[in-house]
Amino acid sequence: MNVALITEMATQLVMYLAYICLLVVLFRNFISLMQLLIASYVFATRVKPSAISMDLWQRYGDLALPVSVIVPAFNEELSIVQSVRSILALEYPEHEVIVVNDGSDDRTIQELIDGFDCVPSDREQIAVLQHTKILGVYQSRKHPNLVVIDKENGRKADASNAGIGFARTPLVCVIDADSIIETDGLLRATEPFMYDTGKVVAVGGAIRIANGCEIRGGSLRKIGISKDWLPRFQIVEYLRAFLTARVANAEANSLMLISGAFGIFRRSVLLEIGGYEHDTVAEDLELIVRIHRHMREQKREYKIGFVPEIVCWTEAPTTWAGLRNQRARWQQGALETLIRHRRMILNPRYGRIGMFSMFQVVVEDVIGPPAELIGYLVIPAALWLGVMDPTMAILFLCVTVLFGTGLSIGTLALEELQLKRTPSALDLVRVGLAAFVENFGYRQANLAFRLSGIGRHFRKDTSWAAVPREGFNADN
């Protein structure tokens, strides 16, 4: 094969790759635009929460189903006491808190015992879903509705399953130990169950970044914006994810993810499917996909809802290493879930979930990241080789930077019009600026982190990549 032929083939390959990357990016941004439009419609037509609705809760609180709040904890000594205090203080007629210490090698269990005056308990586990040994069960003498479970390490899914097994209520709420629930967050998140006829099986709530907020005694005292750029970039991401994508998907009853930071489930459904899977690093995504699969194979009517009001605040990674570990794990887990449930993809048996939602996950989490990252390399090469019209290169720039920024600004405007939770006009400008600056370095780094997650999957690396935490304090 002569050099000229090889050069021509390489040139053609660069051209085809460039146009494929452009098409993938266009498709992803089109989906994002549709989600923003649907979310805007939902916000414009819904009944907004008011003081009157809270009065109804106080008058008819006996209609609220009891909830067990399950808190898996591993090496959370910095914030566990404050987090549990905030959960105990929630405005809710009847809820118990089950903290599961997942074999921590720091002072997590001792902080719980000392902080809440816990003593050994003979409470028995109703259903055994976890794979590891229970080492001890404790009851707080200060708070009768607080139970602490000490167990061998088995990671978050195993700890969540242990808590589900000890729960005795119709609903269970699983949250991260480094999260702070708003005082009325549990009330708002369980409202879909209150007005339901039995179809609602799970509900997610909006999550926001706690970095920069003032948190005292386990409660959010003042909303703030972090001084650091890395948490600000994540604020933009969370706004896009929770105020557009999940609101739109929930409206179409095709929500594919309830964040592991906060979710409420019918305990009976979790028991039916055997709880969380143990051999995945994205147990929250896999659980929701499996619920969809289970309910559709059983041909049962169901609904997975979403509450757009903020119900939970979580600490975001503050270092690039922590962000890399988190995003690589998310990507690896998405790939694991897609492979595990691959028979659902484009399968009419699973309705819109199989024909559209699963395919969307494939584009978003498998094809999209490498396509966009490759696009940053091959499109300049295609221009240099003269095989791509400069207009196409400008289009790629527009859809990745300008159009992407516009979607983020639109989401920020939606948040300000509907929720008004950004503290000041200056903070709005800061977040808006982050929506633009993220396109120059942060976005590309995220794509690289996700590619590393794909690599971890094919290397069969199932080790848990930790995300360092600073803990909640008044100055974070």
Side-chain angles (χ1 to χ4, degrees), residues 2 15 32 35 73 77 104 154 186 208-209 260 287 343 396 443 455 461 469:
N2 58 44
M15 181 184 69
S32 297
Q35 290 173 336
E77 64 177 357
S104 300
L186 201 57
R208 286 288 290 271
I209 300 297
L287 179 72
R343 65 176 295 180
F396 179 80
R443 180 169 180 161
D461 183 358
R469 305 290 185 183

PDB file of all heavy atoms in Angstrom, residues 2 15 32 35 73 77 104 154 186 208-209 260 287 343 396 443 455 461 469:
ATOM      1  N   ASN A   2       0.697   2.143  -0.996  1.00  0.00           N
ATOM      2  CA  ASN A   2       1.585   3.291  -1.099  1.00  0.00           C
ATOM      3  C   ASN A   2       1.208   4.386  -0.120  1.00  0.00           C
ATOM      4  O   ASN A   2       0.131   4.407   0.453  1.00  0.00           O
ATOM      5  CB  ASN A   2       1.594   3.834  -2.542  1.00  0.00           C
ATOM      6  CG  ASN A   2       0.198   4.233  -3.005  1.00  0.00           C
ATOM      7  OD1 ASN A   2      -0.544   4.873  -2.266  1.00  0.00           O
ATOM      8  ND2 ASN A   2      -0.152   3.848  -4.230  1.00  0.00           N
ATOM      9  N   MET A  15     -12.082  13.205   8.385  1.00  0.00           N
ATOM     10  CA  MET A  15     -13.290  13.915   7.962  1.00  0.00           C
ATOM     11  C   MET A  15     -14.542  13.243   8.521  1.00  0.00           C
ATOM     12  O   MET A  15     -15.428  13.896   9.072  1.00  0.00           O
ATOM     13  CB  MET A  15     -13.368  13.956   6.438  1.00  0.00           C
ATOM     14  CG  MET A  15     -14.598  14.710   5.906  1.00  0.00           C
ATOM     15  SD  MET A  15     -14.732  14.640   4.108  1.00  0.00           S
ATOM     16  CE  MET A  15     -15.128  12.895   3.888  1.00  0.00           C
ATOM     17  N   SER A  32     -31.026  18.469  25.200  1.00  0.00           N
ATOM     18  CA  SER A  32     -30.954  19.414  26.321  1.00  0.00           C
ATOM     19  C   SER A  32     -31.905  20.585  26.125  1.00  0.00           C
ATOM     20  O   SER A  32     -32.543  21.048  27.073  1.00  0.00           O
ATOM     21  CB  SER A  32     -29.519  19.926  26.485  1.00  0.00           C
ATOM     22  OG  SER A  32     -28.637  18.878  26.817  1.00  0.00           O
ATOM     23  N   GLN A  35     -35.423  19.426  26.793  1.00  0.00           N
ATOM     24  CA  GLN A  35     -35.619  19.275  28.232  1.00  0.00           C
ATOM     25  C   GLN A  35     -35.837  20.629  28.896  1.00  0.00           C
ATOM     26  O   GLN A  35     -36.689  20.759  29.789  1.00  0.00           O
ATOM     27  CB  GLN A  35     -34.420  18.558  28.854  1.00  0.00           C
ATOM     28  CG  GLN A  35     -34.333  17.090  28.476  1.00  0.00           C
ATOM     29  CD  GLN A  35     -33.061  16.432  28.952  1.00  0.00           C
ATOM     30  OE1 GLN A  35     -32.041  17.085  29.171  1.00  0.00           O
ATOM     31  NE2 GLN A  35     -33.096  15.116  29.115  1.00  0.00           N
ATOM     32  N   ALA A  73     -22.985   5.276  56.030  1.00  0.00           N
ATOM     33  CA  ALA A  73     -21.867   6.145  56.410  1.00  0.00           C
ATOM     34  C   ALA A  73     -20.561   5.368  56.391  1.00  0.00           C
ATOM     35  O   ALA A  73     -20.463   4.286  56.979  1.00  0.00           O
ATOM     36  CB  ALA A  73     -22.110   6.738  57.795  1.00  0.00           C
ATOM     37  N   GLU A  77     -16.610  10.882  59.956  1.00  0.00           N
ATOM     38  CA  GLU A  77     -16.503  11.431  61.301  1.00  0.00           C
ATOM     39  C   GLU A  77     -16.597  12.959  61.327  1.00  0.00           C
ATOM     40  O   GLU A  77     -17.018  13.541  62.330  1.00  0.00           O
ATOM     41  CB  GLU A  77     -15.196  10.992  61.962  1.00  0.00           C
ATOM     42  CG  GLU A  77     -13.942  11.503  61.267  1.00  0.00           C
ATOM     43  CD  GLU A  77     -12.653  11.106  61.986  1.00  0.00           C
ATOM     44  OE1 GLU A  77     -12.756  10.471  63.058  1.00  0.00           O
ATOM     45  OE2 GLU A  77     -11.568  11.431  61.480  1.00  0.00           O
ATOM     46  N   SER A 104     -16.402   1.640  58.882  1.00  0.00           N
ATOM     47  CA  SER A 104     -15.480   2.784  58.834  1.00  0.00           C
ATOM     48  C   SER A 104     -14.212   2.487  59.627  1.00  0.00           C
ATOM     49  O   SER A 104     -14.249   1.815  60.659  1.00  0.00           O
ATOM     50  CB  SER A 104     -16.160   4.029  59.416  1.00  0.00           C
ATOM     51  OG  SER A 104     -17.312   4.369  58.690  1.00  0.00           O
ATOM     52  N   GLY A 154     -18.991  -3.142  53.200  1.00  0.00           N
ATOM     53  CA  GLY A 154     -19.518  -3.775  51.990  1.00  0.00           C
ATOM     54  C   GLY A 154     -19.883  -2.762  50.937  1.00  0.00           C
ATOM     55  O   GLY A 154     -20.509  -3.076  49.940  1.00  0.00           O
ATOM     56  N   LEU A 186     -38.355  16.573  53.628  1.00  0.00           N
ATOM     57  CA  LEU A 186     -39.002  15.270  53.661  1.00  0.00           C
ATOM     58  C   LEU A 186     -40.503  15.398  53.420  1.00  0.00           C
ATOM     59  O   LEU A 186     -41.126  14.547  52.768  1.00  0.00           O
ATOM     60  CB  LEU A 186     -38.729  14.590  55.002  1.00  0.00           C
ATOM     61  CG  LEU A 186     -38.890  13.065  55.061  1.00  0.00           C
ATOM     62  CD1 LEU A 186     -37.997  12.391  54.031  1.00  0.00           C
ATOM     63  CD2 LEU A 186     -38.583  12.560  56.458  1.00  0.00           C
ATOM     64  N   ARG A 208     -28.670  20.489  45.722  1.00  0.00           N
ATOM     65  CA  ARG A 208     -27.826  21.659  45.466  1.00  0.00           C
ATOM     66  C   ARG A 208     -26.500  21.521  46.200  1.00  0.00           C
ATOM     67  O   ARG A 208     -26.366  20.769  47.157  1.00  0.00           O
ATOM     68  CB  ARG A 208     -28.551  22.930  45.899  1.00  0.00           C
ATOM     69  CG  ARG A 208     -29.674  23.334  44.956  1.00  0.00           C
ATOM     70  CD  ARG A 208     -29.164  23.876  43.627  1.00  0.00           C
ATOM     71  NE  ARG A 208     -28.533  25.156  43.774  1.00  0.00           N
ATOM     72  CZ  ARG A 208     -29.181  26.333  43.690  1.00  0.00           C
ATOM     73  NH1 ARG A 208     -30.481  26.343  43.458  1.00  0.00           N
ATOM     74  NH2 ARG A 208     -28.536  27.465  43.836  1.00  0.00           N
ATOM     75  N   ILE A 209     -25.533  22.308  45.761  1.00  0.00           N
ATOM     76  CA  ILE A 209     -24.176  22.273  46.314  1.00  0.00           C
ATOM     77  C   ILE A 209     -24.125  23.079  47.612  1.00  0.00           C
ATOM     78  O   ILE A 209     -24.527  24.245  47.651  1.00  0.00           O
ATOM     79  CB  ILE A 209     -23.170  22.844  45.301  1.00  0.00           C
ATOM     80  CG1 ILE A 209     -23.188  22.025  44.012  1.00  0.00           C
ATOM     81  CG2 ILE A 209     -21.776  22.878  45.906  1.00  0.00           C
ATOM     82  CD1 ILE A 209     -22.778  20.597  44.172  1.00  0.00           C
ATOM     83  N   GLY A 260     -28.261   9.301  44.481  1.00  0.00           N
ATOM     84  CA  GLY A 260     -27.976   8.588  45.713  1.00  0.00           C
ATOM     85  C   GLY A 260     -27.924   9.494  46.921  1.00  0.00           C
ATOM     86  O   GLY A 260     -27.999   9.020  48.058  1.00  0.00           O
ATOM     87  N   LEU A 287     -30.453   0.871  40.285  1.00  0.00           N
ATOM     88  CA  LEU A 287     -31.689   0.585  41.005  1.00  0.00           C
ATOM     89  C   LEU A 287     -32.911   1.086  40.243  1.00  0.00           C
ATOM     90  O   LEU A 287     -33.907   0.363  40.089  1.00  0.00           O
ATOM     91  CB  LEU A 287     -31.645   1.218  42.398  1.00  0.00           C
ATOM     92  CG  LEU A 287     -32.903   1.014  43.249  1.00  0.00           C
ATOM     93  CD1 LEU A 287     -32.990  -0.425  43.727  1.00  0.00           C
ATOM     94  CD2 LEU A 287     -32.930   1.971  44.441  1.00  0.00           C
ATOM     95  N   ARG A 343     -30.656  -5.677  27.256  1.00  0.00           N
ATOM     96  CA  ARG A 343     -31.825  -6.192  26.532  1.00  0.00           C
ATOM     97  C   ARG A 343     -32.973  -5.184  26.489  1.00  0.00           C
ATOM     98  O   ARG A 343     -33.882  -5.311  25.671  1.00  0.00           O
ATOM     99  CB  ARG A 343     -32.314  -7.493  27.156  1.00  0.00           C
ATOM    100  CG  ARG A 343     -32.836  -7.360  28.567  1.00  0.00           C
ATOM    101  CD  ARG A 343     -33.393  -8.681  29.082  1.00  0.00           C
ATOM    102  NE  ARG A 343     -34.573  -9.084  28.321  1.00  0.00           N
ATOM    103  CZ  ARG A 343     -35.247 -10.201  28.568  1.00  0.00           C
ATOM    104  NH1 ARG A 343     -34.833 -11.034  29.500  1.00  0.00           N
ATOM    105  NH2 ARG A 343     -36.335 -10.482  27.877  1.00  0.00           N
ATOM    106  N   PHE A 396     -19.553  23.635  15.361  1.00  0.00           N
ATOM    107  CA  PHE A 396     -19.129  22.817  16.500  1.00  0.00           C
ATOM    108  C   PHE A 396     -18.810  23.708  17.692  1.00  0.00           C
ATOM    109  O   PHE A 396     -19.188  23.419  18.838  1.00  0.00           O
ATOM    110  CB  PHE A 396     -17.906  21.987  16.118  1.00  0.00           C
ATOM    111  CG  PHE A 396     -17.378  21.123  17.236  1.00  0.00           C
ATOM    112  CD1 PHE A 396     -17.976  19.907  17.536  1.00  0.00           C
ATOM    113  CD2 PHE A 396     -16.284  21.522  17.983  1.00  0.00           C
ATOM    114  CE1 PHE A 396     -17.505  19.105  18.559  1.00  0.00           C
ATOM    115  CE2 PHE A 396     -15.797  20.726  19.004  1.00  0.00           C
ATOM    116  CZ  PHE A 396     -16.405  19.517  19.300  1.00  0.00           C
ATOM    117  N   ARG A 443     -14.962  21.541  31.258  1.00  0.00           N
ATOM    118  CA  ARG A 443     -15.778  20.610  30.472  1.00  0.00           C
ATOM    119  C   ARG A 443     -14.911  19.521  29.845  1.00  0.00           C
ATOM    120  O   ARG A 443     -15.257  18.329  29.881  1.00  0.00           O
ATOM    121  CB  ARG A 443     -16.532  21.385  29.399  1.00  0.00           C
ATOM    122  CG  ARG A 443     -17.423  20.535  28.509  1.00  0.00           C
ATOM    123  CD  ARG A 443     -18.322  21.418  27.677  1.00  0.00           C
ATOM    124  NE  ARG A 443     -19.197  20.653  26.806  1.00  0.00           N
ATOM    125  CZ  ARG A 443     -20.302  21.130  26.260  1.00  0.00           C
ATOM    126  NH1 ARG A 443     -20.667  22.383  26.510  1.00  0.00           N
ATOM    127  NH2 ARG A 443     -21.048  20.387  25.459  1.00  0.00           N
ATOM    128  N   GLY A 455     -12.404   3.285  30.922  1.00  0.00           N
ATOM    129  CA  GLY A 455     -11.203   2.460  31.030  1.00  0.00           C
ATOM    130  C   GLY A 455     -11.227   1.588  32.270  1.00  0.00           C
ATOM    131  O   GLY A 455     -10.833   0.416  32.228  1.00  0.00           O
ATOM    132  N   ASP A 461     -11.769  -2.834  37.051  1.00  0.00           N
ATOM    133  CA  ASP A 461     -11.324  -2.215  38.300  1.00  0.00           C
ATOM    134  C   ASP A 461     -12.552  -1.799  39.100  1.00  0.00           C
ATOM    135  O   ASP A 461     -13.223  -0.817  38.781  1.00  0.00           O
ATOM    136  CB  ASP A 461     -10.457  -0.990  37.991  1.00  0.00           C
ATOM    137  CG  ASP A 461      -9.898  -0.334  39.252  1.00  0.00           C
ATOM    138  OD1 ASP A 461     -10.222  -0.809  40.360  1.00  0.00           O
ATOM    139  OD2 ASP A 461      -9.148   0.642  39.113  1.00  0.00           O
ATOM    140  N   ARG A 469     -13.511  14.680  51.609  1.00  0.00           N
ATOM    141  CA  ARG A 469     -14.482  15.650  52.097  1.00  0.00           C
ATOM    142  C   ARG A 469     -13.840  16.564  53.129  1.00  0.00           C
ATOM    143  O   ARG A 469     -12.976  16.147  53.891  1.00  0.00           O
ATOM    144  CB  ARG A 469     -15.683  14.941  52.751  1.00  0.00           C
ATOM    145  CG  ARG A 469     -16.356  13.913  51.842  1.00  0.00           C
ATOM    146  CD  ARG A 469     -17.095  14.554  50.695  1.00  0.00           C
ATOM    147  NE  ARG A 469     -17.810  13.553  49.925  1.00  0.00           N
ATOM    148  CZ  ARG A 469     -18.500  13.822  48.827  1.00  0.00           C
ATOM    149  NH1 ARG A 469     -18.577  15.047  48.367  1.00  0.00           N
ATOM    150  NH2 ARG A 469     -19.127  12.850  48.179  1.00  0.00           N
TER     151      ARG A 469
END
